[in-house]
Amino acid sequence: MAGTADHSKFEQLKKPFKSGPEVTKACLACHTEASTQVMHTSHWTWEYTNPANGQRLGKKTVLNNFCIATTPNLAFCTSCHAGYGWDSANFDFSKQDNVDCLVCHDTTGKYRKAPGKAGHPAYQDMEFPKGSGKMIKAVDLNVVAQKVGKSSRDNCGACHFSGGGGDGVKHGDMDSSLAAPEPHVDVHMDAAGLDFTCATCHKTSGHKVAGSRYAPMAMDKEKHIRGRADANPATCQSCHNSRPHKNARLNTHANKIACQTCHIPTVARGGVATKMSWDWSTAGKLSPEGKPITKKDAHGHVIYDSRKGDFVVGENIVPEYIWFNGQVKYTLLGDKVVKGEKPTQINRFEGSHTDGKSMIWPVKIFRGKQPYDPINQTLLVPHTAGDRGTGFWDNFDWSKALTAGMQATGAPYSGKYEFISTEMSWPITHMVAPKKDALTCAQCHQPQTGVGRLDKVEGIYMPGRRANPWLDLLGWLAAAATLMGVLIHGAIRIYVARKNPAAGHH
Amino acid sequence: MKMRSILMVGSLVSVTLFPALAQADADWKRGRVYYRMVCTQCHTEKAGGAISPSVKSKAEWTAYFQADKHAKGKDAVKFYFSSKFRDSIKATNKAAAKFSDVPEADLAEDVKEFLQKGAKDGDAPARCS
């Protein structure tokens, strides 16, 4: 959509800028409320308090089983913060110039926050990784500032497609294929069709982006009018309503089954692999020369990295299915965890078939092994990236990395570590397929593979699920016997009636 | 005037001798859409299966485009970016229709850029899943 302002005509922007904050200052001269608005969003605070259970969430606080946590690694992690300079606890969250306008409004594709620069782009050409010979070009802020516009899929995707440390790694339903998908990958974002941007669904008002995974909506029964401020515009129902099918039987399914369950048959469909597991316990193996190593599969995907351990990657992944009522309980730093046969749930999606608030949702469950304190029985946070001499990615020393990491968080650490199996669930809601590719009835009710999509979902009777061929045979025999009995009985009655007409009219 | 001529000749020489400079503004996203919706679709339906970007290295893709031989030399790769080809399929192919006005050379560069990104040694090895 064309804007109404040509920013290259603004005198404030026709000057050389030495830094991002200088550009922000120029933006704020006209867009006076923009920084204040951004400062009230989780893109800035990296905080969210769950009103249902009081848990303090957001990237500032939560743990995961990818790169684990941000606190000791801020200068690297904050290359996805909508600001400049957050490299320590001393960051000034109230300074308006620290807001990064360009990361969301650049239209040139040339603006990139540089690794390890705490949200700043490269102001001079820089080599990254050090010693690799690969150069990151300095950004021309003057050019970028004069070409700002509405946020595109590229702006959102710069961070959200690469969550977990690379393209498609984290979510499974979000990767760079969504920057320009064909209808098979996403029927709404189809670059030669509807061409939705992220903001078409994640409708934004005053810089508040609707549809955060920290506040998910599992069931939406609202009577929607698109644009209503008090409703969630990011649900399927906000456009399609809750009875979208012509077939009444399908609409009854929609009472208990999330749209995504049938309409996102698999994830990582765009040719980009997603990580399915990450085993930190094998990290640190070096070559005979003492150098870090990587191993790749036949398709070029990294499956071992000395800095990170072993990975399993996959494409066209069939999600797992659970009851979900919109509530997610996280295991946070300091929470007691038990190392046992079952993996620790880093986040637990709550819900059941009885609570009246749950629907059957598809999720990607990411499995891994990560550091754990066997004395305090808590998960641990390592210092991974950085030049302070303790980063695991530099020195491959878990003891140093965990001591430094836990010091940064301020949480207790006994000095002993082991690795614990963990699981983390991610809701699947992107990569909606064309309706011709939606699940068929048979994929749940009469799967040819013998394994139905919803076989593991408890608490429901589903025709065809877990069918026992002997029981089926017994049932059919009983039905046949009944039919035979009726026919024989009827035949006898007819025979008797014909033989003795008077008996037939008593 | 003389200076302008020198600059123009210099630009032409640069673009001819250093194709990487010409590719600097190539749009991998447009290349992705064209590759997946035109090349892949046709290969899937008529040529025995899709060819994933990650089956070749970046150098192999570069060599493939330089050789300009499609179907083992039966025709030129270049043809499949031509307006003539796009016009012939645009009634049934949304991508060919959408990009019908894109100059041939630009579209070829876009696809090359996508294949460099998605090659097995590229930044994001890509398959035709």
Side-chain angles (χ1 to χ4, degrees), chain B residues 4-5 9 11 26 31 42 46 56-57 73 78-79 85 91 113:
Chain B
R4 186 186 287 177
S5 302
V9 171
S11 303
C42 187
K46 299 176 184 171
K56 291 183 192 291
S57 66
K78 205 183 295 176
F79 169 72
F85 174 69
E113 186 78 359

Side-chain angles (χ1 to χ4, degrees), chain A residues 384-502:
Chain A
T384 51
D387 297 331
R388 302 200 300 270
T390 55
F392 185 80
W393 293 349
D394 279 337
N395 59 36
F396 305 101
D397 183 328
W398 275 119
S399 187
K400 282 183 184 173
L402 291 169
T403 302
M406 294 304 285
Q407 267 176 2
T409 65
Y413 173 42
S414 72
K416 294 194 182 309
Y417 68 91
E418 293 176 3
F419 290 87
I420 189 169
S421 296
T422 56
E423 288 184 351
M424 190 168 191
S425 299
W426 297 87
I428 297 301
T429 195
H430 305 96
M431 292 192 177
V432 176
K435 63 181 176 185
K436 70 178 176 60
D437 296 335
L439 293 191
T440 61
C441 307
Q443 282 173 283
C444 294
H445 293 285
Q446 282 186 313
Q448 290 179 333
T449 58
V451 181
R453 287 293 183 112
L454 304 183
D455 274 5
K456 291 181 182 168
V457 178
E458 296 299 335
I460 50 170
Y461 167 71
M462 197 169 68
R465 183 167 75 155
R466 295 171 192 158
N468 181 318
W470 289 106
L471 191 62
D472 284 352
L473 181 65
L474 202 64
W476 282 113
L477 286 174
T482 306
L483 183 62
M484 287 298 290
V486 169
L487 290 174
I488 291 167
H489 177 81
I492 292 171
R493 292 291 294 265
I494 292 167
Y495 172 75
V496 170
R498 283 187 180 168
K499 196 174 178 184
N500 185 5

Side-chain angles (χ1 to χ4, degrees), chain B residues 35 39-52 55 70 128:
Chain B
Y35 186 85
C39 309
T40 300
Q41 187 170 316
C42 187
H43 272 258
T44 304
E45 291 171 1
K46 299 176 184 171
I51 297 172
S52 292
V55 300
H70 181 258
C128 291

Side-chain angles (χ1 to χ4, degrees), chain A residues 110 154 167 176-177 179-185 190-193 195 268-273 296 298-301 315-316, chain B residues 24-25 28-30 32-33 36-37 52 54-55 94-96 98-99 114 117-129:
Chain A
K110 308 285 184 200
D154 293 333
D167 193 1
S176 66
S177 69
E182 66 274 27
H184 157 75
V185 176
D190 171 14
D195 208 13
R269 286 204 309 279
V272 179
K296 293 185 177 182
H299 305 291
H301 305 126
E315 292 179 61
N316 291 308
Chain B
D25 289 327
W28 71 266
K29 289 174 290 175
R30 193 163 62 188
R32 181 185 188 281
V33 173
R36 304 234 342 164
M37 292 185 69
S52 292
S54 64
V55 300
K94 284 197 301 181
K98 177 157 180 152
F99 303 139
F114 168 61
K117 182 175 182 288
K120 65 181 164 194
D121 56 346
D123 292 339
R127 297 178 70 193
C128 291
S129 56

Side-chain angles (χ1 to χ4, degrees), chain A residues 266-316:
Chain A
T266 57
V267 294
R269 286 204 309 279
V272 179
T274 188
K275 277 194 173 70
M276 297 306 297
S277 75
W278 181 330
D279 183 354
W280 278 100
S281 73
T282 60
K285 294 175 193 167
L286 302 174
S287 71
E289 297 77 34
K291 301 282 184 194
I293 52 175
T294 57
K295 291 179 193 167
K296 293 185 177 182
D297 67 10
H299 305 291
H301 305 126
V302 175
I303 53 173
Y304 180 79
D305 184 331
S306 298
R307 299 178 309 147
K308 300 177 179 180
D310 279 296
F311 307 124
V312 173
V313 299
E315 292 179 61
N316 291 308

